[in-house]
Amino acid sequence: MTKTIAKTVLSLNLNGVVRDDVIPDNLLLVDYLREKASLTGTKIGCDGGECGACTVLIDGRPRHACLTLAATCQDSEIETIDGLSRDSRLTALQRGFNEKLGAQCGFCTPGMIMASEALLRRIPNPSETDIRDALAANICRCTGYVKIIEAVQFAAQALTEGEPAA
Amino acid sequence: MNETSPAQSIGVPKPLVDGPEKTTGKAMFAADFQTAETLVGRILRSPVAHANIIAMDIAKAEALPGVHAVVTEADCSDSYGVLPIAMNEWALARGRVRYRGEPVAAVAAIDVATAQRALDLIEVTYEELPAYFTAEAARAEGAVLLHDDKPGNIERDAEFDLGDVDAELAAADLVREIDVNCAEVCQVQMEPHAAFAEYDGARERLTIRPSTQVPFYVHKMLARTMGMAEGHIRVIKPHIGGGFGSRTETLQSDLIAGLLARKARATVKVVLSREETFITHRGRPESRIKMKVGMKADGTITAVDFTVQQRGGAYSGYGIVTILYSGSMIYGLYNIVSARFQGVRVLTNTPPCGAFRGHGTVKTRFAFEGLIDDMARELGLDPFAVRRANLLVAPTMTENDLLVNSYGLDQCLDWVENASGWKSRKGKLAPNKGLGMACSHYISGASKPKHWTGEPHATIHLRVDWDASITLLTGAAEIGQGSSTVMAQCVAETLGVDMGRINVISSDSALTPKDNGSYSSRVTFMVGNASIDAAQNLKARLVEAAARKLEIPAADVECLGEVYRGGQQDQGLTFEEVVMEALSGEGTITVKGNYDTIPESWGGRKYRGAAIGGTMAFSYAAQVVEVTVDPHTAEITVDKVWVAHDCGKALNPLAVEGQVQGSVWMGMGQAMSEETAFHEGLPLAANMLDYRVPTIIESPPIEVGIIEAADPHGPFGAKEAGEGSLSGFLPALTNAVADAMGVRAAELPLTPDRLLELLEKKVREDAATSGRNRGAA
Amino acid sequence: MELLSELKLHHPISVEDAVSLHAAAPTGRYLAGGSDLLVNVRRGIEQPGSLVYLDNIAELQSITDAPDQITIGAGVTLRELANSALVHEHFAAVAQAAGEVAGPSHREYGTLGGNLCLDTRCVFYNQSEWWRAANNYCLKSRGDICHVAPGGKKCFAAFSGDVAPALLLFDAEVELAGPSGRRRMALAELYRNDGMDHLTLETGELLVAVHVAKPSVPVTSAYAKSRVRGSIDFPLAGVALRMAMRDGRIAELRVGLTGVSPLPFLAGKLDKFIGRAPDQACLEDLRDAIRSQAKAMKTTVTPPHYRRRVAGALTLKLAQSLAQDLVEASS
Ligand SMILES: Cc1cc2nc3c(=O)[nH]c(=O)nc-3n(C[C@H](O)[C@H](O)[C@H](O)COP(=O)(O)OP(=O)(O)OC[C@H]3O[C@@H](n4cnc5c(N)ncnc54)[C@H](O)[C@@H]3O)c2cc1C
Ligand code: SF4
Ligand code: FES
Ligand code: FES
């Protein structure tokens, strides 16, 4: 087989680290993250766009890594769950999900936390409706969402009380 | 010196011991394992529903560069299954396929593209057979048999007839019937199935990380399928992204990963798509239930007469157990004596069903609680009054010999009645709003294990080393339900030490003692008790050591958790000092603890299969659901749920709340939106758009009341918390809709289209009646 | 790792570049947010070979206000559209519809252009390659029968974008750029009643922008969709409604429908409602009129019976609430 596969030299900022990779054009961002960059925090829960488990932030906006071609992320800033806590300190959101039991099995959690992160950056003091609206593309099968809402409220409160984000 | 006292761990809300890795993305699930040489495993699935496999040619696929292994049934040493008497499934179809999507071959290749190309090169010749997608079609006269040893395509007929049903029905003041049909539903745990298998060719050893709830069964079935000694296989349970019963049995993907790894003599990862995960199924069967209940004017139930037909899918799986539960669990919740049950589990050309959270109980409960609600209305009784007229008094044995030692249903009823403001609000809500309630119960583990091997139900090892840390080794599978946390709490509480001392290692067959796995809510009860036993044994060793060091009799040693001392004045020894003494001359110590159920809990012998239902303790739950129905679109909004759950003792109130909320909410999906559907055996909804797991938008607030009717045998009195409140939601919802709109839903899920049909039918009927009345006047 | 067919990705920065890159590989596709297209590529339904990525083209990315009209670039995201005060003020139904598409994360990157050019949907079509092959494919893709209406030769896959019916209320126009230059036409003309080929775009034509004239007097409009879940789901039926009242009577009435046929369309024969008071009888007549035009077929797991009825029911509800608003506003 001598067929040449279209490739791109991808430069981006991944969790604060600038990196270059040669990748095929048909590589999904979620596969790039998990298999090229070995950041397996981002999960795959469905066959495309239906569950939110793969939610990452691209230039601060939540996006499904499973419906994004990695090569479209040229020069972007990508944030994943793997890079959220700095110096091994849990962020307020991570503590909220931990202490309020917003994570049971934890499989939806990376996506939930990234979507919540985007919310809190936009609306530091969200109402319950704001939280529901922001997480409405993320499915959780364990919690019934009650404690997820409490987890985000916990984080919002911790943050507005002046705790540093990380 | 400060007053020391033992640390308290039980009854205190505790975050999960493995919470931090889950919230940072560090938790490793099966699909997260990867090495540079890992091969990609992919499965070829049958496109037809029922056919003999006439020929299969894998030569071209094997010859494709980059392909390291192709496996078929020829690579399997034996069949597999759940029950020792019903092992009729093969990891890869042998001779015949029985549902669309059944695995027929699998490949391991260097990348996805090569694996896919290899699958395309496998040639299978099928000779199609008639296929049956409904229970009725499979049972019809002359239908071709799916399995030669299952006449009539019946997996199992089950029945019992206890008390005197006919006489009791005749003696009733009101007898009513209901005929319900509940759609098949699927667990849809968030993690698609996956397995990471490493084969050590030099030593002929397999190490596998499957996404399972039952590592022990997977271990056994791998050995059976691969013809390997169990000792040559190591099963390590990674983090598990939920299960709800879909992984309560060995799945083909687990076995295929092992087969591929061995044949390729390499590391292979099999990760199923969401569609394949749906096809693997093992969900709750479509069930048709016809039920007749007799009631006295005061609400006392005189008898229950019911039939259950389940569309079980193509293989046995848990089928026999499921159909037996759907009968036996009519008992144990209320004081019912006379009951007659006829159940039939049917084999069909659809993916195999399995054990879904609330196993076997859910649809029977739906039929029953809806029916008695209607009867209460007819008799002018409040729904709460009807339930209260039929309470059990513990301790007792039910008519089918189920042991009930603790019973908090009465308290559950009181709690939800108050919390929901039932008395002041029921019947006074705005138009199109309604309140409904229902009760439910569930076992705390089946008392008789499936594989009776004579060893204890549960075993825990505690290892203490020179650093004074305690390692809790358990085979129990933490799957997100918080079992590792509960075990750590039980040990910490018994020893009086801080939970931070305890590290839990869950399910690695090379390290941890055997455990049956996480199903039927057995873990808290059985493994919790074993943890306490182990901790008590450890404590005895530590007390002995302290006595030696303090030079006092062991009986005089006072254990304050972190300090062991001889009396008030004594400075005492720190935990570390005690541990050093205990280890001196002996080295690291490992103690164990066991748990066994008592024979009284093993269920009865009054009918064939009567052991199914036997448990050490039942959890109880009651709930009230408030709904608003849009009369135009027939959309239902669940405004709020109040649920009380009797878990004996909330070892970790935070986790109990989470489990109860999750159960109620899962009941909501089944009641309102979730169903699998087939087009000639092809799953129409094998994705998360068409299979509608509720989103956060329509999910209601769920207020939980914890009721603690301590069980004398439970660990600190605890019973199950993770399943019992599921089944109550379905009837509580339809009862609320009946309250709001005056229609009784007999088909689930109650999607807007179904409800609209009911509402339109009612309008027509009301018009007809008022027309008749006008005519008569 | 997901297997996607091989493709070459292009990153043009102008409309003209995009059009010529597309012309060089005519079997390719324009890629906007990808929230529809990449699902189909993953399922092997589309194997475009070349994708022309639109996100770097500045011209497509903004909403511009002029005295008589507003122009919405095709690359504007649904979130921007839903949050635009300008759009809200003049075309409330459009902003509402944009805010009802899929879930919040989809709206962050899903675009107006992608939403208007969305592929039609059918439960026999939006399935994996294995599934469709096992089902002998269908007319819309690689097969020769329709599983919805097995006798016929027509495809009934439903157009299920939320925004189009709302834009139809305002006689929106689309600006297109193709190998032979730019042209403008009514949005309604972008669609045809054929589930296999529902867009009238010529090969390689790019949707550049949508132009909507501002009504001379403020008009009231709203959008509602039916779905089983509160989020994520495509519309089982979507209804956009525009209404004006004079002296307590309906002076203007338009109803746009989506999700019930291969194209979004404005309901016909509504003249008879002009001049009527929006009382119960009128609203029920309107409901029945819409029901009879919403000819949903068995393209979803939810039965078509319901989709027809709920289209009527949503119309009734919207008309009722808009009438109430209008009466309150005038009193
Ligand atoms: C789980 C899920 C739920 C969804 N629910 C909904 C829903 O409820 N309602 C709804 O409307 N949509 C829904 N969608 C579909 C989709 O998210 C939206 O319609 C979105 O607006 C599509 O925009 P996009 O930019 O992502 O389009 P893309 O996927 O990039 O493109 C879609 C199509 O339009 C073409 N195209 C894109 N831009 C142009 C252009 N400028 N000129 C010419 N052709 C163009 C593409 O070639 C492609 O054929 C859902 C999707 C998912 C995955
Ligand atoms: S309507 Fe018929 S032809 Fe069109 S997609 Fe559905 S099955 Fe295929
Ligand atoms: S994996 Fe991306 S949305 Fe499910
Ligand atoms: S915690 Fe398990 S899916 Fe959300």
Side-chain angles (χ1 to χ4, degrees), chain B residues 639-652:
Chain B
D639 299 312
K640 175 131 196 200
V641 182
W642 297 265
V643 55
H645 186 106
D646 164 24
C647 61
K649 167 80 190 170
L651 302 180
N652 183 352

Side-chain angles (χ1 to χ4, degrees), chain A residues 49, chain C residues 30 32-37 102 111 115 161-162 207 225 232-234:
Chain C
Y30 289 115
S35 62
D36 185 54
L37 182 58
T111 65
N115 196 266
D162 285 298
L207 174 56
K225 75 193 271 192
I232 304 180
D233 294 349
F234 282 93

Side-chain angles (χ1 to χ4, degrees), chain C:
Chain C
M1 173 82 68
E2 183 63 30
L3 179 60
L4 263 58
S5 58
E6 278 165 30
L7 53 86
K8 168 98 188 105
L9 189 66
H10 302 279
H11 304 260
I13 54 167
S14 74
V15 168
E16 284 61 36
D17 284 356
V19 170
S20 54
L21 283 165
H22 196 299
T27 58
R29 285 260 172 209
Y30 289 115
L31 175 68
S35 62
D36 185 54
L37 182 58
L38 289 181
V39 179
N40 286 355
V41 173
R42 290 185 58 158
R43 284 176 162 155
I45 291 175
E46 301 260 12
Q47 306 189 2
S50 143
L51 289 179
V52 178
Y53 185 49
L54 303 177
D55 201 41
N56 301 319
I57 304 174
E59 186 186 346
L60 303 183
Q61 312 302 335
S62 55
I63 302 179
T64 42
D65 191 13
D68 55 340
Q69 65 162 29
I70 70 169
T71 300
I72 312 168
V76 167
T77 65
L78 297 163
R79 180 186 146 81
E80 290 164 314
L81 195 53
N83 289 350
S84 159
L86 191 61
V87 178
H88 255 287
E89 186 192 336
H90 299 286
F91 316 107
V94 175
Q96 285 171 15
E100 294 277 307
V101 172
S105 318
H106 305 89
R107 298 195 292 271
E108 295 276 352
Y109 63 99
T111 65
L112 173 63
N115 196 266
L116 295 178
C117 299
L118 200 63
D119 196 1
T120 52
R121 299 184 62 81
C122 172
V123 73
F124 297 101
Y125 173 72
N126 299 106
Q127 300 285 0
S128 72
E129 172 63 27
W130 170 80
W131 200 103
R132 285 175 296 118
N135 200 37
N136 293 324
Y137 300 101
C138 74
L139 286 179
K140 185 163 161 66
S141 164
R142 294 160 70 182
D144 47 21
I145 85 157
C146 169
H147 306 282
V148 168
K153 281 282 160 221
K154 184 166 157 44
C155 167
F156 295 95
F159 181 82
S160 307
D162 285 298
V163 183
L167 283 170
L168 288 176
L169 296 179
F170 302 100
D171 298 322
E173 288 190 339
V174 287
E175 180 179 339
L176 309 171
S180 45
R182 298 210 182 196
R183 62 174 176 138
R184 248 168 103 145
M185 65 181 187
L187 173 64
E189 288 167 30
L190 182 63
Y191 301 105
R192 69 165 76 90
N193 194 356
D194 177 354
M196 278 183 274
D197 188 17
H198 70 296
L199 294 178
T200 60
L201 286 177
E202 319 237 319
T203 306
E205 239 176 346
L206 173 73
L207 174 56
V208 177
V210 176
H211 302 278
V212 212
K214 290 181 188 165
S216 47
V217 289
V219 297
T220 314
S221 69
Y223 179 78
K225 75 193 271 192
S226 161
R227 51 178 163 190
V228 173
R229 300 185 292 179
S231 177
I232 304 180
D233 294 349
F234 282 93
L236 295 169
V239 179
L241 192 136
R242 163 179 177 170
M243 188 153 102
M245 297 222 321
R246 219 166 293 127
D247 308 327
R249 293 175 183 280
I250 298 175
E252 186 189 12
L253 179 67
R254 285 178 166 210
V255 178
L257 295 172
T258 187
V260 290
S261 77
L263 81 176
F265 63 97
L266 285 178
K269 294 185 241 144
L270 299 183
D271 293 349
K272 59 185 176 209
F273 294 98
I274 306 298
R276 280 181 75 175
D279 53 17
Q280 194 61 24
C282 167
L283 294 173
E284 287 179 9
D285 287 347
L286 175 60
R287 176 193 65 195
D288 297 343
I290 295 302
R291 237 186 223 179
S292 68
Q293 294 183 50
K295 297 201 166 74
M297 299 286 286
K298 215 186 147 352
T299 54
T300 59
V301 288
T302 299
H305 169 82
Y306 178 74
R307 287 158 61 209
R308 291 175 205 162
R309 297 181 109 63
V310 81
L314 291 175
T315 308
L316 183 154
K317 285 179 60 175
L318 281 177
Q320 193 167 40
S321 86
L322 286 193
Q324 209 164 5
D325 290 353
L326 287 164
V327 168
E328 272 165 26
S330 68
S331 63

Side-chain angles (χ1 to χ4, degrees), chain B residues 178-185 284-289 362-367 370 636 666-676 726-735 737 744-755 758:
Chain B
I178 195 167
D179 180 351
V180 306
N181 197 50
C182 307
E184 181 182 277
V185 287
R284 205 187 306 294
E286 180 188 45
S287 305
R288 175 95 188 263
I289 301 175
V362 176
K363 291 167 175 181
T364 301
R365 187 54 45 206
F366 167 65
I636 304 167
M666 201 169 257
M668 180 179 93
Q670 294 176 30
M672 295 177 61
S673 58
E674 295 179 27
E675 62 181 311
T676 66
L726 190 157
S727 63
F729 185 92
L730 288 70
L733 175 95
T734 50
N735 289 344
V737 171
R744 165 61 53 198
E747 235 183 289
L748 289 187
L750 188 53
T751 44
D753 53 294
R754 292 198 176 95
L755 181 54
L758 291 175

Side-chain angles (χ1 to χ4, degrees), chain B residues 80-259:
Chain B
Y80 77 102
V82 178
L83 305 174
I85 54 162
M87 300 252 173
N88 60 3
E89 203 163 352
W90 289 78
L92 294 154
R94 164 166 295 202
R96 220 202 257 194
V97 289
R98 296 181 174 85
Y99 63 94
R100 285 179 135 172
E102 183 168 358
V104 292
V107 303
I110 48 163
D111 57 25
V112 196
T114 310
Q116 186 56 49
R117 231 170 291 138
L119 291 186
D120 295 342
L121 290 173
I122 298 174
E123 287 162 19
V124 190
T125 315
Y126 297 101
E127 173 195 57
E128 285 207 53
L129 297 167
Y132 311 108
F133 308 120
T134 63
E136 288 74 19
R139 291 176 76 180
E141 186 82 32
V144 172
L145 297 187
L146 271 77
H147 299 272
D148 294 340
D149 60 342
K150 303 282 182 187
N153 284 323
I154 304 291
E155 169 70 30
R156 175 71 175 263
D157 271 315
E159 54 183 27
F160 59 72
D161 188 352
L162 303 175
D164 189 340
V165 172
D166 294 321
E168 290 294 343
L169 284 176
D173 295 316
L174 182 69
V175 177
R176 286 289 177 262
E177 287 178 56
I178 195 167
D179 180 351
V180 306
N181 197 50
C182 307
E184 181 182 277
V185 287
C186 190
Q187 289 88 350
V188 199
Q189 75 293 337
M190 277 299 292
E191 180 198 18
H193 299 306
F196 181 77
E198 297 163 279
Y199 198 76
D200 174 350
R203 293 183 187 78
E204 305 287 347
R205 295 287 193 280
L206 174 73
T207 301
I208 186 166
R209 293 174 164 85
S211 58
T212 185
Q213 302 175 240
V214 285
F216 167 67
Y217 291 134
V218 171
H219 199 151
K220 284 189 98 61
M221 292 306 123
L222 274 168
R224 192 178 146 107
T225 290
M226 298 181 69
M228 283 175 71
E230 290 180 20
H232 292 180
I233 298 172
R234 178 177 179 187
V235 180
I236 307 175
K237 183 199 68 65
H239 273 278
I240 304 294
F244 315 110
S246 66
R247 298 156 166 184
T248 307
E249 56 189 286
T250 309
L251 302 176
Q252 296 111 334
S253 43
D254 306 332
L255 301 172
I256 289 170
L259 290 165

